[in-house]
């Protein structure tokens, strides 16, 4: 098993620390509660040793639990695959098409992105998932998606067992008044349960039923979202890049035609890029099969154009007018700021009066941006960005010279890319 191989390797023992996080703790708790309660209730409802149906039901429960945990731990411990530190392309001229990562001191390969949580550039990064406390990317995309499929299937089976257990145990104790609902109880009545179905057992079953139904709906929706992008050979990040490319072309009326380079045209071909019989995905995480109209750096060139465009259209300069200590939910900044804090693991940044912030996005009560640093910090590669309360800043009026310089810098970058 791949995740066991990763664990017993000495240099990967630190990966076990990924379990010490609220995401895996909650996920494994839900799996444990649903699995254990389903096994106990199946013994009460349909004794597995005396009937073929009971045996099949029990074996399927064990099967779901093993497959779910296998794919979950593989997604967590195999990991997404990382770009080597200090990586650069074989051809020196290709560097002008790539972004440089100051944290990894290397270039970002096509389809890779830097994850602030993992502190590495991730191959074919889709997103950082708090439930596995790791990124979903090139090497573990299939395991992660398989987990998203198996978890709702297993929880649906468990939910059926919970419902049938409560129905059979309460059938003769409470009159439901369902004159038209008849369920044949002859098979289960022949065997007396070895465990009593008490009030605590009923409460635990009801609680597990809620967990199972909630997991089925939530994780099932995530599975369909993942399959939607996989069948187009995209990631969630790349789908967003494609939307921004269309927006940029429409905004500037450039007349360009952006073709997503990694969509091979057939869903089955795209599917096989992620799911293989060996379990290992196609490719090395750096070079990719591409559309006939594109080349290896089509997407990275588009990213550079969007980055240049972002400096012109998105970054708005703000001056800090109120101190902020970086708390996640600062009560001193008002109830709306406290209750409407962004539900994300992205960091908060502390603010001091007089500092300057370049904001890139925000909500009604919070903003996200980069703190403007001095020359020494900038040269050292220091970057401070995160969320902060909107009430702590006020918009600055751009100096004409600064704006012109920024615009000319952006234009020169676009010409270099072209």
């Amino acid at each position: 098993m791949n995740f066991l191989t990763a664990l017993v390797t000495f240099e990967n023992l630190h990966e076990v620390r990924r379990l010490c996080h609220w995401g895996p703790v909650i996920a494994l708790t839900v799996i444990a509660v649903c699995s254990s309660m389903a096994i106990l209730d199946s013994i009460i409802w349909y004794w597995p040793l005396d009937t073929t149906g009971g045996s099949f039901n029990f074996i399927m429960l064990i099967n779901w639990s093993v497959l779910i945990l296998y794919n979950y731990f593989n997604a967590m411990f195999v990991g997404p695959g990382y770009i080597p530190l200090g990586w650069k392309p074989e051809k020196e001229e290709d560097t002008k098409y790539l972004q440089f990562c100051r944290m990894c001191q290397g270039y970002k390969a096509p389809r890779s992105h830097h994850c602030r949580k993992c502190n590495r550039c991730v191959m074919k990064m889709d997103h950082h998932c708090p439930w596995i406390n790791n990124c979903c990317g090139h090497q573990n995309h299939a395991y992660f998606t398989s987990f998203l499929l198996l978890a709702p299937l297993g929880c649906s089976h468990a939910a059926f067992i919970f419902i049938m257990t409560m129905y059979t145990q309460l059938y003769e104790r409470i009159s439901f008044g369902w004159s038209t609902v008849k369920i044949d109880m002859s098979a289960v009545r022949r065997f007396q349960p070895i465990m009593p179905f008490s009030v605590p057992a009923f409460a635990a079953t009801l609680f597990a039923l809620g967990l199972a139904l909630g997991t089925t709906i939530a994780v099932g929706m995530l599975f369909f979202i993942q399959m939607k992008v996989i069948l187009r050979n995209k990631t969630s990040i790349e789908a967003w890049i494609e939307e921004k490319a269309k927006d940029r072309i429409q905004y500037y009326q450039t007349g360009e035609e952006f073709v997503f380079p990694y969509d091979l045209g057939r869903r089955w071909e795209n599917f096989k890029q992620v799911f293989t019989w060996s379990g290992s995905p196609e490719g090395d995480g750096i070079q990719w099969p591409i559309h006939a109209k594109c080349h290896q750096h089509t997407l990275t060139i588009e990213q550079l154009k969007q980055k240049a465009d972002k400096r012109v259209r998105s970054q708005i300069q703000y001056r800090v007018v109120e101190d902020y200590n970086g708390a996640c939910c600062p009560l001193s900044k008002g109830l709306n700021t406290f209750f409407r804090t962004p539900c994300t693991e992205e960091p908060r940044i502390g603010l001091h009066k007089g500092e300057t912030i370049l904001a890139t996005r925000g909500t009604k009560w919070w903003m996200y941006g980069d703190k403007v640093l001095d020359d020494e910090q900038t040269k050292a590669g220091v970057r401070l960005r995160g969320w902060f309360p909107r009430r702590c800043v006020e918009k600055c009026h751009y100096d004409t010279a600064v704006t012109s310089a920024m615009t000319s810098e952006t234009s020169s970058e676009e010409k270099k890319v072209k």
Side-chain angles (χ1 to χ4, degrees):
M1 299 171 75
N2 292 342
F3 77 91
L4 288 179
T5 304
L7 281 178
V8 298
T9 306
F10 179 76
E11 60 266 22
N12 290 332
L13 286 177
H14 68 279
E15 293 290 326
V16 180
R17 292 182 299 177
R18 294 191 182 278
L19 293 168
C20 303
H21 182 265
W22 63 265
V25 169
I26 294 176
L28 291 173
T29 299
V30 171
I31 294 172
V33 170
C34 291
S35 299
S36 58
M37 285 303 303
I39 292 173
L40 292 175
D41 280 3
S42 66
I43 294 174
I44 295 175
W45 166 56
Y46 210 172
W47 179 243
L49 300 182
D50 292 324
T51 63
T52 303
S55 299
F56 180 76
N57 174 69
F58 196 79
I59 291 172
M60 285 302 298
L61 271 180
I62 301 299
N63 179 64
W64 292 129
S65 299
V66 171
L67 289 176
I68 288 170
L69 289 174
Y70 172 77
N71 284 282
Y72 179 82
F73 285 122
N74 266 308
M76 178 186 293
F77 293 123
V78 171
Y82 302 106
I83 301 297
L85 295 174
W87 179 86
K88 60 175 61 177
E90 294 180 359
K91 298 179 180 179
E92 186 68 26
E93 60 268 23
D94 289 343
T95 57
K96 63 183 178 181
Y97 304 128
L98 302 173
Q99 297 183 68
F100 185 81
C101 179
R102 289 179 293 180
M103 300 299 294
C104 298
Q105 288 299 302
Y107 289 91
K108 298 179 183 179
R111 311 191 80 176
S112 68
H113 302 273
H114 186 85
C115 175
R116 291 191 299 274
K117 290 293 181 181
C118 299
N119 200 30
R120 289 290 299 274
C121 286
V122 177
M123 294 179 177
K124 192 190 170 186
M125 180 176 174
D126 186 88
H127 67 287
H128 184 91
C129 177
W131 305 111
I132 62 173
N133 194 21
N134 206 341
C135 279
C136 174
H138 175 57
Q139 293 183 4
N140 65 350
H141 205 171
Y143 293 120
F144 181 77
T145 309
S146 298
F147 167 74
L148 296 184
L149 170 64
L150 293 165
L153 292 177
C155 286
S156 298
H157 186 190
F160 175 76
I161 291 173
F162 298 148
I163 292 172
M164 292 305 299
T165 301
M166 289 189 290
Y167 182 83
T168 54
Q169 293 302 309
L170 301 177
Y171 184 77
E172 294 180 348
R173 305 183 193 185
I174 302 175
S175 175
F176 290 100
W178 297 342
S179 58
T180 59
V181 178
K182 299 293 183 182
I183 299 179
D184 183 13
M185 297 293 180
S186 58
V188 295
R189 281 178 181 164
R190 291 198 301 266
F191 311 103
Q192 295 297 322
I194 62 175
M195 295 177 292
F197 193 72
S198 58
V199 173
F202 172 76
T205 300
L206 197 61
F207 175 72
L209 175 62
L211 285 180
L213 292 177
T215 302
T216 300
I217 296 171
V219 180
M221 291 176 62
L222 293 177
F223 169 74
F224 283 109
I225 292 172
Q226 280 295 311
M227 286 306 300
K228 183 178 179 180
V229 294
I230 286 175
L231 292 177
R232 292 171 172 81
N233 203 13
K234 298 178 184 177
T235 64
S236 301
I237 295 176
E238 290 168 351
W240 175 237
I241 292 174
E242 185 179 27
E243 288 297 319
K244 290 194 293 183
K246 295 176 181 177
D247 176 67
R248 181 186 63 80
I249 292 170
Q250 183 179 10
Y251 183 83
Y252 290 108
Q253 296 293 313
T254 60
E256 301 174 61
E257 179 189 6
F258 178 75
V259 178
F260 184 74
Y262 306 114
D263 188 347
L264 302 181
R266 297 176 58 189
R267 292 184 177 182
W268 177 243
E269 293 298 322
N270 292 336
F271 181 85
K272 289 192 297 182
Q273 292 297 308
V274 177
F275 296 94
T276 61
W277 289 111
S278 65
S280 300
E282 294 286 345
D284 59 0
I286 295 178
Q287 297 288 328
W288 306 94
I290 54 174
H291 191 279
K293 295 182 179 180
C294 305
H295 56 82
Q296 286 292 331
H297 299 103
T298 297
L299 190 68
T300 59
I301 291 174
E302 175 59 33
Q303 287 177 262
L304 289 173
K305 290 180 180 179
Q306 291 180 12
K307 188 176 181 180
D309 179 44
K310 182 179 178 180
R311 294 177 182 176
V312 178
R313 287 207 289 162
S314 299
Q315 287 191 342
I316 303 174
Q317 197 169 10
Y318 287 81
R319 181 167 55 87
V320 179
V321 296
E322 189 175 325
D323 290 345
Y324 165 58
N325 62 5
C328 181
C329 301
L331 187 58
S332 62
K333 304 303 178 185
L335 292 178
N336 283 313
T337 303
F338 177 82
F339 286 111
R340 301 190 184 185
T341 183
C343 297
T344 173
E345 288 194 333
E346 291 175 312
R348 273 65 170 168
I349 54 173
L351 304 177
H352 299 285
K353 289 183 180 179
E355 292 179 329
T356 304
I357 304 291
L358 291 176
T360 57
R361 52 192 164 102
T363 65
K364 186 176 181 180
W365 305 102
W366 288 80
M367 299 189 74
Y368 185 91
D370 290 76
K371 186 180 292 188
V372 177
L373 305 175
D374 56 39
D375 292 339
E376 291 184 4
Q377 290 176 308
T378 303
K379 290 180 181 178
V382 178
R383 188 176 186 182
L384 296 177
R385 61 176 176 175
W387 291 95
F388 52 89
R390 184 180 284 269
R391 61 175 283 177
C392 294
V393 296
E394 65 178 16
K395 189 174 180 180
C396 297
H397 295 290
Y398 277 112
D399 183 81
T400 307
V402 175
T403 306
S404 302
M406 184 181 296
T407 305
S408 62
E409 179 188 350
T410 302
S411 302
S412 63
E413 283 197 15
E414 285 190 340
K415 290 179 181 178
K416 182 175 70 172
V417 168
K418 293 178 180 178

